Amino acid sequence: MVTVLPVAQGSKVKKGTLLVQLDNTQHIAEILPATHFVRLIRGVVLRDVEIIDMSFDVTWLALFTLAGLILASVRFKKNLD
């Protein structure tokens, strides 16, 4: 993904001068569960896609949920004093 940004000089933007920057935030966003959830909701609600067609996002969310539950179970300490 490439982002094209105008180069700002002070408080003014130079016309005709563009800065092309490779966007690494896409890679970071793929780690976050919200990205997959939003993609899933958009597909189901807006485009009427079957959930089975979006199996990558469903699988990723299920694995993230499972990892969260395992981490919470390991860290949970119950005292019976």
Side-chain angles (χ1 to χ4, degrees):
M1 175 180 246
V2 175
T3 304
V4 179
L5 301 169
V7 176
Q9 182 179 14
S11 61
K12 296 182 181 179
V13 175
K14 282 185 178 179
K15 292 184 180 178
T17 306
L18 295 177
L19 173 67
V20 177
Q21 175 184 348
L22 294 176
D23 194 4
N24 290 328
T25 57
Q26 183 70 31
H27 300 295
I28 296 170
E30 285 296 322
I31 297 171
L32 302 174
T35 303
H36 298 280
F37 180 73
V38 168
R39 190 181 301 153
L40 185 68
I41 294 300
R42 279 185 191 157
V44 171
V45 174
L46 298 177
R47 290 182 275 147
D48 198 27
V49 176
E50 298 290 328
I51 291 181
I52 196 71
D53 296 332
M54 303 194 74
S55 61
F56 174 74
D57 293 317
V58 172
T59 304
W60 200 95
L61 286 172
L63 290 175
F64 189 81
T65 302
L66 183 63
L69 286 172
I70 290 171
L71 182 66
S73 297
V74 168
R75 292 187 48 101
F76 181 74
K77 295 178 183 177
K78 187 172 184 179
N79 294 331
L80 295 176
D81 294 337

